[in-house]
Amino acid sequence: MDNNYILTLKNITKEFPGVKALDDVTINIERGTIHGLVGENGAGKSTLIKVLAGIYQPNKGEIILDGKPCRFNSPIEARRAGISVVHQEIKLAEPLSVAENMFYNRQPTNRMGMRRRAREIVEDLGMDIDINAQVSSLTVAKKQIVEIMHAINNNSRILIMDEPSAVLTDRELEVMFRIVKQLRDE
């Protein structure tokens, strides 16, 4: 096993009644790299993401994280292992603020500490986002960035984005690529 691989999917197969969505898929992901899954609709990209996120269990194959075989029986287990997914459909609590969404499901006891940490993440990414703004007031691009900031705040080591460019303008794409490259470098 190459120690440069943070993640290996080995011979992953996922079947649904009458459909083989993934057939013996093997991928090696090195630390500090960016990868893109490309394929037609129905090729299994989203299914593979859901296997990594603990939403689906593979019928066959092995997930190896940091050189150790593992299995994610739920999205919570995958997140605890450092895997975060920014899904195509935004999954934020719209009535809450940016800072509250960044800490969603792990609310700190100190709201000032929450705001301080939220500001740090926003500044580290070089973003112009008001941490007190209600998420419902943000553009789709900024909502995706809030989801990325949530993943950063959860100490994610692997960030998976499901079709992040589908609804972004060229300018918003430039910002997204800058953030992804910055995260890779860190």
Side-chain angles (χ1 to χ4, degrees):
M1 171 70 57
D2 188 329
N3 288 337
N4 286 330
Y5 297 139
I6 190 169
L7 179 70
T8 295
L9 303 175
K10 189 174 180 182
N11 307 111
I12 299 291
T13 298
K14 178 61 183 169
E15 298 179 52
F16 298 99
V19 177
K20 189 177 270 191
L22 300 173
D23 187 10
D24 201 32
V25 175
T26 297
I27 299 174
N28 293 308
I29 307 291
E30 290 184 37
R31 298 174 196 284
T33 60
I34 299 171
H35 296 264
L37 292 177
V38 180
E40 297 177 15
N41 287 342
K45 300 178 301 292
S46 291
T47 302
L48 187 63
I49 289 169
K50 289 177 180 175
V51 166
L52 276 171
I55 296 168
Y56 294 155
Q57 306 309 308
N59 298 97
K60 295 179 189 170
E62 186 173 33
I63 298 172
I64 302 167
L65 183 64
D66 291 322
K68 298 175 189 141
C70 61
R71 183 173 187 89
F72 306 125
N73 295 309
S74 71
I76 292 170
E77 287 182 12
R79 275 194 304 274
R80 284 184 184 143
I83 298 174
S84 288
V85 178
V86 175
H87 293 277
Q88 195 173 0
E89 54 287 338
I90 303 293
K91 296 185 177 190
L92 297 172
E94 297 271 333
L96 299 180
S97 72
V98 168
E100 290 166 326
N101 270 278
M102 288 170 65
F103 282 85
Y104 198 75
N105 285 337
R106 62 184 292 243
Q107 297 294 333
T109 55
N110 177 337
R111 293 188 69 76
M112 294 217 0
M114 174 183 76
R115 284 187 168 69
R116 184 177 52 252
R117 177 66 181 136
R119 266 191 221 93
E120 286 173 8
I121 294 170
V122 168
E123 288 171 9
D124 286 349
L125 292 178
M127 295 307 307
D128 180 25
I129 296 178
D130 178 1
I131 63 163
N132 298 308
Q134 189 174 7
V135 165
S136 61
S137 70
L138 301 178
T139 65
V140 172
K142 286 193 175 179
K143 288 177 183 177
Q144 281 188 327
I145 291 166
V146 171
E147 290 219 38
I148 292 170
M149 292 187 302
H150 180 266
I152 292 168
N153 192 47
N154 281 321
N155 300 314
S156 296
R157 299 176 313 126
I158 298 170
L159 178 63
I160 302 167
M161 301 171 71
D162 189 2
E163 296 195 40
S165 62
V167 294
L168 302 182
T169 66
D170 288 345
R171 174 68 188 120
E172 292 167 336
L173 267 176
E174 287 176 26
V175 171
M176 182 70 64
F177 289 146
R178 180 186 59 75
I179 290 170
V180 169
K181 288 176 185 174
Q182 181 179 342
L183 293 173
R184 174 206 57 204
D185 294 344
E186 291 173 7

